[in-house]
Amino acid sequence: MSTCATVSRDLGEPIAGTAATATTWLLLEQPGPWGARALVSSHLDPVLGRALEAAAQDTGVRIALIRRPGRHADLGAPALRRVYAAHTVPGRVWLHGATTHDPRRLLDLDFAALGRGDHHTFDSVLGGASHTGDPLALVCTNGKRDRCCALLGRPLAAELAASGVRGAWEVTHLGGHRFSPTLLVLPHGYAYGRAAAHTVKEVLRGVQEGRIVAEGCRGSSAWERPGQAAELAVRAETGEDAAEVLSVVRTTGCAPRWEVTVAHTDGRHWLVVVAQGASLPPRPESCGTSVLGAPARMDVVAVHELVGAAPAR
């Protein structure tokens, strides 16, 4: 059976620079069925869902619903929900967790502060604390957004959970369903596509060891798409795999061409030229449409190490 994911894979569409952008992720446990816009089409009160969408707008915070892998019986609202917040900007990465009986408490959060990387509002409002368990492996399984997420994502989430990955969750939407199964790993916020269970386990092992696995990586959600591609290009060029050592410190230009400055904590800098191209031939970007498109792709044209004084930010 041909799907948008099989077509994308067969045509060799590159996945670097395709991650959703968010400096901070806010995750709310919501079992049961999810609609295409899960915040307003699930067992979560749609009035609350719309209010949360409005509160997060233009703050850098992205909200998603999560549930444990498995069957999703229509059992109504849970008595107690897990809530996570994660800030993904290198040098200030954190992951905090909490529980709540009342998801309306999330409206008391200072979303602008969360987007800037301040977790105090999360801790004070929800009684949150630093997450000390395993990294979170969030697999997109929302088949109402695209059938690939159900056909490919749900088996992956189930396999991870069955094999003892304690941080495995299903998540509502990570973008780029043609790269299914898609995965977001927290706390660092790197997204992956066309994921298999053995590679996910290596990614999670890397996180625990302070490494970023580049295989299948779509990019860090901390950066816009040109920055995602640029950072991955520097990792490929240098072999650097340590977490939190590379940052996008400057981006100039606009589509279809950018110059991105990537900095290392050891003082090195690189200038990366990124060009926006079109993925050809035209293909369906989603299983939910018969319209053919040419998805934008981030092509790295050049990587130059800068010698001498650090560039101005």
Side-chain angles (χ1 to χ4, degrees):
M1 177 177 59
S2 179
T3 65
C4 66
T6 59
V7 171
S8 175
R9 184 192 298 268
D10 290 346
L11 292 176
E13 182 181 353
I15 64 175
T18 65
T21 299
T23 55
T24 301
W25 290 83
L26 180 63
L27 309 171
L28 172 64
E29 184 178 4
Q30 178 58 62
W34 296 332
R37 288 184 58 209
L39 278 178
V40 296
S41 53
S42 66
H43 282 152
L44 186 70
D45 179 359
V47 174
L48 172 60
R50 284 189 288 272
L52 288 170
E53 286 181 333
Q57 188 171 2
D58 299 324
T59 64
V61 177
R62 187 177 174 110
I63 306 173
L65 303 182
I66 57 174
R67 63 191 178 194
R68 284 300 189 184
R71 295 178 63 86
H72 305 295
D74 199 350
L75 299 177
L80 189 66
R81 304 166 190 254
R82 290 294 306 176
V83 187
Y84 294 101
H87 189 63
T88 64
V89 176
R92 294 182 286 137
V93 168
W94 51 260
L95 171 61
H96 283 217
T99 58
T100 184
H101 292 280
D102 183 4
R104 291 174 295 183
R105 296 289 304 279
L106 272 64
L107 290 175
D108 295 329
L109 297 173
D110 183 338
F111 282 82
L114 278 177
R116 294 192 301 268
D118 182 351
H119 56 72
H120 293 96
T121 175
F122 182 86
D123 296 345
S124 61
V125 169
L126 298 174
S130 180
H131 175 70
T132 57
D134 292 344
L136 302 187
L138 308 164
V139 181
C140 182
T141 62
N142 190 353
K144 295 295 185 181
R145 294 285 302 206
D146 190 279
R147 63 177 175 169
C148 287
C149 299
L151 293 173
L152 301 173
R154 287 179 186 168
L156 174 61
E159 183 177 355
L160 292 174
S163 64
V165 177
R166 289 173 289 184
W169 291 86
E170 297 186 8
V171 68
T172 47
H173 185 50
L174 298 176
H177 27 249
R178 65 188 183 278
F179 304 121
S180 294
T182 60
L183 174 86
L184 177 73
V185 177
L186 294 175
H188 294 111
Y190 284 83
Y192 292 82
R194 302 173 185 148
H198 68 278
T199 56
V200 174
K201 291 175 183 178
E202 174 58 27
V203 168
L204 296 175
R205 183 161 47 248
V207 171
Q208 292 172 321
E209 296 171 354
R211 296 183 292 108
I212 301 301
V213 172
E215 180 184 358
C217 190
R218 299 173 63 194
S220 166
S221 67
W223 318 123
E224 298 293 336
R225 292 187 62 184
Q228 295 171 15
E231 187 217 343
L232 291 176
V234 170
R235 289 189 180 278
E237 179 83 6
T238 62
E240 179 63 80
D241 67 354
E244 293 196 72
V245 298
L246 294 177
S247 294
V248 174
V249 297
R250 186 183 184 199
T251 301
T252 60
C254 59
R257 190 178 179 90
W258 298 267
E259 292 187 348
V260 182
T261 304
V262 178
H264 196 293
T265 52
D266 66 8
R268 287 178 292 165
H269 289 75
W270 295 264
L271 182 66
V272 183
V273 180
V274 181
Q276 179 176 298
S279 295
L280 297 172
R283 79 285 309 274
E285 297 184 53
S286 170
C287 290
T289 179
S290 59
V291 177
L292 300 183
R297 52 187 284 172
M298 296 291 113
D299 294 322
V300 172
V301 177
V303 179
H304 302 292
E305 184 171 359
L306 301 175
V307 180
R313 298 195 182 193

